[in-house]
Amino acid sequence: MDWMRNLKMTLRYKEKKYVLEKPLFEIDHSTTTPEKISSYNKLSDDSMKVDCIMVATIAPDLAKFNEDYWPYETSFDHAGKFHKKARQERYEVLKSLMACKLKEGESDCAHVQKMKKYVEQLWCLHVSFDEELAIDMVLNSLPPSYDQFVLTYYLNNTKTTLTRLHNLLQTAESRMKKNHAPNATNAPILAIGFGKGKKRKAPSQ
């Protein structure tokens, strides 16, 4: 599955990912239009190049089963073999994402990073999961101390990214820690009269 994801990313960059989705059928050049012949030749050339990449990078124990396949056939074959495994992987990632809850007093930095990782895994697994929904899930995972932050976020109708939300949460966390820090100037006042020392004698008249 990792190999197929990396392959698709590489082919997308090279603008050749379409060969994994388009079968290559032989054509009769004597009865086919020049436009269709040109399209066939391009698909054939691109398929040959992609096939070389696939055979060179796939695990040896899998290469022997696909060495006579065109890229579309290899992709189709792997999709059938690993569909069940991919679905199980999606389930496990989604389950972990939904279970994420930030506890009071814990730092939100590692928490958001973990949720971002799960979201990115779902994207890699081709799960239709937009960033707005991911942000909603992050906000829903926060403890009650962040209620004001969440309320302000939605009232402002803020449009942001997961990375930007992460920065906003870190700022909010710093402010909350500052607001809840003990007031050093009040500490001595609260201590007056509660010590174990002797009482002062009343002044003589």
Side-chain angles (χ1 to χ4, degrees), residues 22-189:
K22 193 171 183 179
L24 181 66
F25 298 110
E26 291 292 335
I27 62 173
D28 185 352
H29 286 69
S30 62
T31 60
T32 306
T33 63
E35 292 78 9
K36 290 185 177 180
I37 292 176
S38 177
S39 298
Y40 170 83
N41 289 338
K42 183 179 187 309
L43 176 59
S44 179
D45 290 343
D46 287 344
S47 295
M48 183 65 70
K49 293 174 184 177
V50 172
D51 185 59
C52 291
I53 295 174
M54 295 175 77
V55 173
T57 59
I58 197 172
D61 57 334
L62 295 176
K64 60 184 179 181
F65 294 107
N66 303 117
E67 58 185 5
D68 296 325
Y69 287 1
W70 285 104
Y72 170 82
E73 297 170 315
T74 300
S75 177
F76 185 82
D77 181 61
H78 280 267
K81 288 180 178 177
F82 299 109
H83 174 73
K84 184 175 181 180
K85 181 179 179 181
R87 184 174 182 182
Q88 180 66 24
E89 186 177 352
R90 289 196 299 268
Y91 169 76
E92 294 295 339
V93 174
L94 187 59
K95 179 181 176 182
S96 299
L97 176 63
M98 296 178 68
C100 286
K101 293 292 181 183
L102 179 65
K103 296 180 181 179
E104 293 286 5
E106 291 183 344
S107 173
D108 60 37
C109 183
H111 173 73
V112 177
Q113 286 285 10
K114 180 168 67 173
M115 293 193 74
K116 283 177 62 179
K117 179 182 177 182
Y118 289 141
V119 170
E120 289 166 357
Q121 284 181 292
L122 291 173
W123 287 339
C124 289
L125 290 167
H126 306 290
V127 177
S128 181
F129 198 90
D130 62 34
E131 194 161 25
E132 193 172 82
L133 178 58
I135 289 173
D136 289 341
M137 294 192 70
V138 171
L139 294 174
N140 182 63
S141 72
L142 302 175
S145 59
Y146 285 83
D147 285 352
Q148 185 60 48
F149 173 89
V150 175
L151 178 62
T152 302
Y153 176 87
Y154 284 116
L155 286 177
N156 290 338
N157 194 26
T158 307
K159 291 186 180 296
T160 186
T161 63
L162 275 172
T163 301
R164 174 61 179 157
L165 177 66
H166 191 189
N167 294 335
L168 292 173
L169 284 170
Q170 286 182 298
T171 301
E173 181 185 35
S174 298
R175 288 177 179 174
M176 285 190 291
K177 287 181 177 180
K178 185 176 181 180
N179 291 338
H180 288 82
N183 191 331
T185 59
N186 291 336
I189 298 175

